[in-house]
Amino acid sequence: MYHYETVFILTPVLSEEQAKEAVGKFRKSVKDLSATIVHEESWGLRKLAYQIQKKSTGHYHLFEYTAKDGNALAELEVTFKRDERVLRFLSVKLDKNGTAYAEKRRAKAKAKKDAAKAAEKKETAN
């Protein structure tokens, strides 16, 4: 079982709704390739380090998934290349250290989110 992480950037011309639709399409592509999405994050509209196709911002999204073989990754990359809404993408195969780091990062983000919710509840109660 291989563990992959893919970050892709969608064109900023898309509205939030259109970006969500595009992400849904790629999510379906991952599932159709018999891969399992372990985690995903939407980082929203962010400034690019340098212009790509004369655009200085883009919608960032991360998929973390597992697949039985490398064919799923190759097929997913073809899907990204064919879609003109994708400015850039980068896929990385995670080794055991990368997988452990990803799990640690997810746990840390979840703890931060839970603490924010608890603080919000406490503030609402007062």
Side-chain angles (χ1 to χ4, degrees), residues 82-97:
R82 288 183 177 161
D83 197 317
E84 61 188 25
R85 297 174 293 186
V86 177
L87 294 177
R88 288 284 193 274
F89 66 91
L90 178 67
S91 297
V92 178
K93 181 180 172 185
L94 300 175
D95 60 3
K96 67 178 183 181
N97 295 329

Side-chain angles (χ1 to χ4, degrees), residues 2-7 29-36 63-81 89-94:
Y2 297 104
H3 201 120
Y4 296 105
E5 191 173 89
T6 299
V7 175
S29 294
V30 170
K31 290 179 182 173
D32 289 346
L33 296 168
S34 301
T36 305
F63 280 153
E64 194 179 321
Y65 52 98
T66 57
K68 292 179 183 171
D69 54 24
N71 292 337
L73 177 63
E75 290 292 323
L76 184 63
E77 288 186 344
V78 168
T79 304
F80 282 129
K81 287 177 184 174
F89 66 91
L90 178 67
S91 297
V92 178
K93 181 180 172 185
L94 300 175

Side-chain angles (χ1 to χ4, degrees), residues 46-71:
R46 290 183 167 210
K47 187 175 180 186
L48 302 172
Y50 55 88
Q51 285 192 348
I52 302 172
Q53 298 173 6
K54 297 184 180 179
K55 295 179 178 58
S56 59
T57 58
H59 297 276
Y60 281 70
H61 203 85
L62 170 115
F63 280 153
E64 194 179 321
Y65 52 98
T66 57
K68 292 179 183 171
D69 54 24
N71 292 337

Side-chain angles (χ1 to χ4, degrees), residues 11 15 17 19-20 22 28 42 63 69 71 98-99 113-114 116 126:
T11 181
S15 68
E17 194 63 37
K20 285 181 184 176
K28 184 179 179 316
S42 176
F63 280 153
D69 54 24
N71 292 337
T99 305
K113 189 182 276 184
D114 290 345
N126 291 334

